[in-house]
Amino acid sequence: MNDITKNLQNIILEECDLINHKIRGVNFLEILKVNIIKKIEPIIEKFSNDDNSSLKFNFTKNEKTINVKLIQLSNSSSFLNQFLDKNTLYISILGVLRFDLLSNENKAIIKNINIFPKMGICLPANTKLNLSSANKILYLIIEISDKTDEN
């Protein structure tokens, strides 16, 4: 498990170094998504086949705090009325993630966004959503906050 954490962190750190430090927020995550999807695939294959497991780590790079979560769920699941307080990238590795974007009144603005394996979606801070998955799923969440955003 530690090898997977170190390898995943090294890939993300390397890609963060290659992205211009002036790029921030969702644009940063979109570039990161494109650059890491193929690189993380061999590492993720080594992730254990436990029914439900997760892996978390965070680091700071170029005035950006980056939180990474790798989540594996064996049963279908739904997370309703989630509020994102940071710019967030979701990458589906195994299985399909389904999103509904919500308004402040909890009415669906956009329904049924499907994220298939080796695809991702970047969502800005202050987004409200419903997230669901069917059966076995493995996905990666990367949250980013810039120190300049906190001021």
Side-chain angles (χ1 to χ4, degrees), residues 31-69:
I31 294 168
L32 184 64
K33 175 185 77 173
V34 170
N35 293 340
I36 69 170
I37 284 180
K38 288 185 181 178
K39 290 183 177 184
I40 63 172
E41 190 176 357
I43 294 169
I44 301 305
E45 289 174 358
K46 299 175 187 173
F47 195 68
S48 73
N49 288 328
D50 295 342
D51 289 341
N52 293 311
S53 56
S54 66
L55 175 75
K56 297 179 186 181
F57 61 89
N58 58 18
F59 56 91
T60 301
K61 188 73 174 172
N62 297 330
E63 297 188 357
K64 293 174 178 60
T65 302
I66 300 170
N67 301 317
V68 180
K69 298 176 200 164

Side-chain angles (χ1 to χ4, degrees), residues 72-100:
Q72 181 173 333
L73 301 170
S74 61
N75 298 323
S76 61
S77 58
S78 295
F79 303 97
L80 303 176
N81 296 321
Q82 297 293 304
F83 183 78
L84 303 178
D85 57 348
K86 298 177 183 172
N87 295 313
T88 306
L89 166 61
Y90 288 87
I91 297 176
S92 176
I93 299 162
L94 174 68
V96 178
L97 286 172
R98 289 183 183 85
F99 291 87
D100 293 330

Side-chain angles (χ1 to χ4, degrees), residues 71-143:
I71 299 170
Q72 181 173 333
L73 301 170
S74 61
N75 298 323
S76 61
S77 58
S78 295
F79 303 97
L80 303 176
N81 296 321
Q82 297 293 304
F83 183 78
L84 303 178
D85 57 348
K86 298 177 183 172
N87 295 313
T88 306
L89 166 61
Y90 288 87
I91 297 176
S92 176
I93 299 162
L94 174 68
V96 178
L97 286 172
R98 289 183 183 85
F99 291 87
D100 293 330
L101 301 182
L102 306 173
S103 67
N104 289 335
E105 296 83 30
N106 292 334
K107 294 180 182 175
I109 296 175
I110 301 174
K111 285 188 163 193
N112 296 328
I113 299 173
N114 293 320
I115 306 300
F116 296 97
K118 300 178 190 169
M119 292 175 63
I121 185 171
C122 299
L123 298 170
N126 302 320
T127 299
K128 215 173 188 182
L129 59 94
N130 292 334
L131 171 64
S132 62
S133 64
N135 299 330
K136 189 171 183 167
I137 185 144
L138 178 64
Y139 63 99
L140 183 68
I141 301 173
I142 301 175
E143 298 174 328

